[in-house]
Amino acid sequence: MTLYPLALRLEGRTVLVVGGGAVATRRVPALLDAGAHVVVVAPQLTPALQALASADRLRWEPRRFEPSDVDDAWLVQVAVDDPVAAAEVSEAAEERRVFCVRADDRTRATAWTPAVTRHGPVTVAVLGGGDPRRAMVVRDAIRDGLVDGTLESAAPLAPVAEATPGRVALVGSGPGDPELITVKGRRLLARADVVVADRLVPGLLLDELRPDVELVDASKIPYGPAKAQEEINRILVDRARAGHFVVRLKGGDPYVFGRGGEELIACAEAGVPVTVVPGVTSSIAAPAAAGIPVTHRGVAHEFTVVSGHVAPDNPLSLVDWSALARMRGTLVVLMGLKNLPAIAATLLTHGRPAATPAAVVQEGTTGAQRVLRSTLGDVVDEVAAAGIRPPAVVVFGNVVDALATTLPARRGDQT
Ligand code: SAH
């Protein structure tokens, strides 16, 4: 059998979905995304579909199917298990010459749903000649090629809106594991002409760049920190003005102690358009990788992330450490190793108990991850004895032990 592929323009057109279970839950979002007017006929809906119905995103007819339901539809999706009920819908659709997709039995359907992947303006739809597994394997291979840019270097596609020349994207690279960058971040990185990267950016992401991409290592810029930031801002603006698409790749999330705001202001002042792509921040991901949830029901209902870069007794510190000491929830300190003795002493002085569980996660989410579990009272000595080095996050609070007995010890665990 030879198929004839088509793309349906469903904007404002009625699509009838019969059934309100798992299949409908999977199919309805893409129909809504295409702008279809979705009518679901089913005695019951899953909670996800119910939420869409309550939000008026779809119309729900809470009853059994009747053949006249097909009258207004351009397309019918059968999403019921019962073959007799499904056949009834198929027949009604056939009589009215409306295409009908069947989840239960594709041999009796008049239309098939392809495996799909979407990238900016490009939609790829793959049919496996009746073998959905095969279609998905091919689709996945194409998706990987689009994400890492290998497909596009062979046949350039129209630029996506956020990646046109003369723009800057501030992209969070995630905490260290190269797979923890967002899909959008990776897609933009694959299109960059110039990449300005931080020290904490996963090296493997840079390894994938095309040979013609200019890579600026921001950590190698001489001068002090203030001057270096000016220099980075200048490079972003200059390269964008020269007509390049510049990706500023920053560790974790660009706005969590990443100076992303300053770079955004510099670009905006120079009239260079900027896209910001958030990232997975180490303040949450490094504890998670060590088996520590930053919140846990009944244990901690708040978490606070602070910079330990400026010592608590320094008048320039903007952190109210005495208030943090009175807090009962989770405290996550970034850039806190150098000042850890002063930080721990301040928390103790202002009343946080010495027995408060503490953990230090070095190079979280990477192959070199190390975890030290301790207490507020002992952590300073134990960090020194274990030779923990930056980058590391320090976590204080009962969440440190919340899962400790449940999870098996992980690579790098010291206790
Ligand atoms: N924007 C980044 C943080 C930049 S400040 C983010 O959102 O993650 C740099 C500090 O982040 C380091 O000193 C360290 O405290 C922390 N950090 C970054 N990557 C880390 C990692 N893989 N493991 C532990 N801490 C990390």
Side-chain angles (χ1 to χ4, degrees):
M1 184 204 345
T2 306
L3 297 167
Y4 185 75
L6 275 179
L8 301 184
R9 300 180 63 192
L10 295 176
E11 183 88 41
R13 307 209 150 101
T14 298
V15 175
L16 173 68
V17 177
V18 182
V23 173
T25 305
R26 289 180 58 164
R27 296 285 183 230
V28 163
L31 293 170
L32 292 176
D33 208 53
H37 172 60
V38 174
V39 178
V40 181
V41 176
Q44 266 149 21
L45 295 185
T46 62
L49 290 171
Q50 243 162 37
L52 291 171
S54 326
D56 276 337
R57 302 277 320 276
L58 57 80
R59 197 176 92 215
W60 178 28
E61 298 289 348
R63 53 169 172 77
R64 285 188 53 83
F65 169 78
E66 291 159 12
S68 62
D69 289 333
V70 181
D71 290 349
D72 297 329
W74 287 70
L75 177 71
V76 177
Q77 165 79 55
V78 182
V80 293
D81 296 334
D82 174 11
V84 179
E88 194 192 340
V89 184
S90 271
E91 273 160 35
E94 184 85 37
E95 266 168 33
R96 290 162 179 80
R97 303 185 190 189
V98 176
F99 280 105
C100 179
V101 182
R102 276 181 64 168
D104 63 311
D105 183 354
R106 77 182 87 87
T107 63
R108 294 181 197 278
T110 49
W112 288 351
T113 311
V116 171
T117 180
R118 294 182 174 87
H119 288 260
V122 175
T123 302
V124 178
V126 180
L127 290 154
D131 180 352
R133 284 275 242 351
R134 180 184 212 171
M136 283 195 288
V137 168
V138 174
R139 184 269 319 267
D140 289 349
I142 296 172
R143 179 183 54 200
D144 291 350
L146 284 170
V147 167
D148 67 21
T150 47
L151 255 184
E152 261 180 85
S153 51
L157 303 173
V160 298
E162 305 98 320
T164 46
R167 282 189 86 95
V168 170
L170 296 181
V171 176
S173 69
D177 177 345
E179 293 203 295
L180 288 178
I181 188 171
T182 62
V183 172
K184 184 166 185 173
R186 195 154 177 221
R187 182 160 61 81
L188 294 188
L189 189 60
R191 296 180 182 251
D193 304 311
V194 180
V195 174
V196 184
D198 269 347
R199 190 169 43 88
L200 287 179
V201 155
L204 279 180
L205 290 175
L206 305 179
D207 201 47
E208 291 176 6
L209 297 175
R210 298 189 316 273
D212 58 301
V213 172
E214 182 195 1
L215 177 62
V216 180
D217 183 345
S219 64
K220 297 255 167 66
I221 292 174
Y223 328 118
K227 194 77 196 308
Q229 187 62 53
E230 271 175 41
E231 181 65 10
I232 292 168
N233 296 351
R234 193 187 62 75
I235 292 171
L236 297 179
V237 169
D238 278 7
R239 298 296 196 279
R241 280 189 172 153
H244 297 302
F245 173 50
V246 185
V247 167
R248 171 69 172 117
L249 194 61
K250 303 171 76 71
D253 180 273
Y255 285 166
V256 178
F257 307 131
R259 309 193 68 167
E262 292 164 62
E263 291 167 7
L264 181 110
I265 291 169
C267 291
E269 281 176 356
V272 171
V274 186
T275 305
V276 179
V277 182
V280 175
T281 173
S282 65
S283 55
I284 297 172
I292 301 168
V294 289
T295 72
H296 192 64
R297 205 162 84 91
V299 176
H301 293 185
E302 62 184 346
F303 66 98
T304 307
V305 179
V306 294
S307 164
H309 185 58
V310 179
D313 52 2
N314 185 322
L316 293 177
S317 171
L318 295 176
V319 178
D320 184 345
W321 289 95
S322 58
L324 293 177
R326 289 192 299 275
M327 218 183 67
R328 293 171 58 200
T330 308
L331 179 61
V332 182
V333 186
L334 269 60
M335 298 179 279
L337 279 190
K338 186 165 58 72
N339 291 322
L340 190 59
I343 290 168
T346 307
L347 292 174
L348 287 166
T349 307
H350 290 93
R352 192 108 199 210
T356 304
V360 184
V361 187
Q362 174 185 323
E363 289 168 86
T365 79
T366 73
Q369 173 173 310
R370 291 180 70 191
V371 183
L372 178 108
R373 282 167 197 278
S374 179
T375 60
L376 174 56
D378 294 334
V379 70
V380 172
D381 289 344
E382 290 185 7
V383 159
I388 297 281
R389 287 177 285 104
V393 299
V394 186
V395 189
F396 297 105
N398 291 331
V399 290
V400 166
D401 292 338
L403 304 181
T405 50
T406 323
L407 290 174
R410 285 173 52 105
R411 174 189 54 205
D413 270 14
Q414 310 213 329
T415 50

